[in-house]
Amino acid sequence: MPSVSLLRVTAALGVALALGLTGCSSEGADGDKGTKASADTREVRTAKGPVKVPVAPKRVVTLDLGELDTALTLGVEPVGSVVGSPGAGFPKYHGDKTAGIKEVGAIGAPNLEAIEALHPDLILGNLVRDTDRYDALSRIAPVVFSEQAGTRWRQNFLLDADALNKKAEGDRVVAEFTARAKALGAAQSDPAAVKVSVLRFVAGQNRLYGKAGFVGSILSEVGLGRPAVQNVDTLMVEVGAEQIEKADGDVIFVATYGPKDKTDHDKVFGGPLWKTLKAVRADRAHEVDDEYWMVGTGYSAAGHVLTDLERYLPKRV
């Protein structure tokens, strides 16, 4: 029969062995966890500095319609997104792609509680809309913000594509769009000679769009010319209803934000000046969808703009 001292030594060795094994097991688990965490995240350079994001985001929330457009263009369905304004719903040009997306407030006024309830693993937006909410959003999930909204839509697309780990897909989208835009310009004998005017009715304002911004950059990529008042490196200029002759061109594209009866739309269209415009007399004034000409600011929206240009521009001028 073993002595008491031998039993104590054996027990002590057993405890030490058990503790050693436990220590090894814990270290292995921590090591595996650390390796897994490192492998499952990657760093993206944002307007707020480097941010670690999931390698494969599964629950994305978008805080502007450009980011929504980008996600859907790249085959990612966000779990939540803002809308343009309360009650507006998602842009219709997306079709049924938005069917499963939860509304989380409007642009510039996201509902943080609704966002948190969706347990996102990535939030996409920009400083223009939500700079004051960045810290609060960062406590919910990694946040990737661009600096601007709309005017730098191409750069925003590439940033968001990187955050979604869809850079290769994003590069293909850009290349396909560029090729299509060039082909459209080539369909004109001299695209720069075609003066394209863009008029937008907004409550209290009539806007003529310059070369900066979303639509202006698309027209420039096609190689189209602009009327003198719009051939400027600014987003837009405002004109009164009595100055609507400044909207004239070879072709006029007209967009309206919100209900027409809240704008000068009917006043202008029913007024004497409108009927004197060269484009109107030639039946080349076309009303287009504001959601993708002005609001969407992404490559899917831009593709719809090209479709309108293909439809309405003369093939030879």
Side-chain angles (χ1 to χ4, degrees):
M1 183 175 180
S3 66
V4 173
S5 59
L6 182 58
L7 289 172
R8 287 176 178 171
V9 171
T10 303
L13 289 172
V15 170
L17 180 60
L19 288 173
L21 290 173
T22 302
C24 290
S25 177
S26 296
E27 184 177 355
D30 290 344
D32 291 344
K33 182 178 179 181
T35 303
K36 184 174 185 293
S38 175
D40 287 349
T41 62
R42 47 191 292 276
E43 191 171 88
V44 174
R45 294 182 177 274
T46 79
K48 296 290 286 186
V51 173
K52 287 188 176 181
V53 303
V55 167
K58 301 295 184 185
R59 302 186 63 80
V60 179
V61 167
T62 56
L63 300 182
D64 206 342
L65 297 183
E67 281 71 29
L68 173 62
D69 185 295
T70 291
L72 294 175
T73 299
L74 295 173
V76 176
E77 181 182 303
V79 293
S81 178
V82 297
V83 294
S85 59
F90 297 116
K92 296 177 181 60
Y93 72 88
H94 290 305
D96 60 4
K97 292 181 180 180
T98 60
I101 302 175
K102 300 292 185 183
E103 292 186 21
V104 292
I107 290 176
N111 184 323
L112 269 60
E113 291 183 357
I115 293 172
E116 187 170 15
L118 292 174
H119 305 292
D121 57 8
L122 179 63
I123 299 172
L124 302 177
N126 58 74
L127 293 179
V128 174
R129 310 296 194 190
D130 297 295
T131 185
D132 293 339
R133 285 171 283 274
Y134 179 81
D135 290 340
L137 289 163
S138 295
R139 288 192 285 271
I140 298 173
V143 177
V144 171
F145 269 4
S146 59
E147 291 185 4
Q148 300 291 334
T151 55
R152 293 174 59 84
W153 67 280
R154 288 187 176 90
Q155 295 92 328
N156 294 357
F157 174 82
L158 295 175
L159 171 62
D160 293 336
D162 187 15
L164 294 168
N165 206 6
K166 297 278 187 178
K167 187 177 184 303
E169 293 90 333
D171 290 343
R172 282 197 294 272
V173 168
V174 173
E176 289 170 2
F177 178 85
T178 299
R180 187 180 172 194
K182 287 182 177 179
L184 178 55
Q188 306 295 315
S189 57
D190 182 6
V194 184
K195 307 304 181 184
V196 175
S197 174
V198 180
L199 167 64
R200 189 192 195 196
F201 293 107
V202 180
Q205 295 180 342
N206 307 315
R207 301 175 177 177
L208 298 177
Y209 279 77
K211 295 190 294 183
F214 179 66
V215 168
S217 67
I218 295 173
L219 299 178
S220 293
E221 189 158 356
V222 175
L224 296 165
R226 310 299 306 281
V229 72
Q230 298 173 49
N231 193 30
V232 291
D233 293 320
T234 56
L235 178 62
M236 63 176 183
V237 295
E238 293 183 28
V239 295
E242 69 282 357
Q243 301 172 304
I244 209 64
E245 74 276 1
K246 293 182 178 180
D248 205 1
D250 295 310
V251 185
I252 304 174
F253 291 100
V254 182
T256 304
Y257 180 74
K260 290 180 179 179
D261 61 3
K262 303 296 184 182
T263 73
D264 280 348
H265 176 281
D266 294 344
K267 177 182 178 181
V268 168
F269 272 47
L273 286 178
W274 184 251
K275 298 177 180 62
T276 67
L277 302 188
K278 176 177 63 176
V280 175
R281 295 199 312 270
D283 196 27
R284 287 182 177 167
H286 307 286
E287 296 203 58
V288 291
D289 192 329
D290 192 79
E291 287 190 329
Y292 58 79
W293 271 74
M294 299 292 171
V295 178
T297 63
Y299 273 95
S300 286
H304 285 286
V305 173
L306 289 187
T307 297
D308 282 349
L309 294 176
E310 289 165 348
R311 177 181 180 185
Y312 293 121
L313 286 179
K315 295 297 183 290
R316 299 289 178 186
V317 174

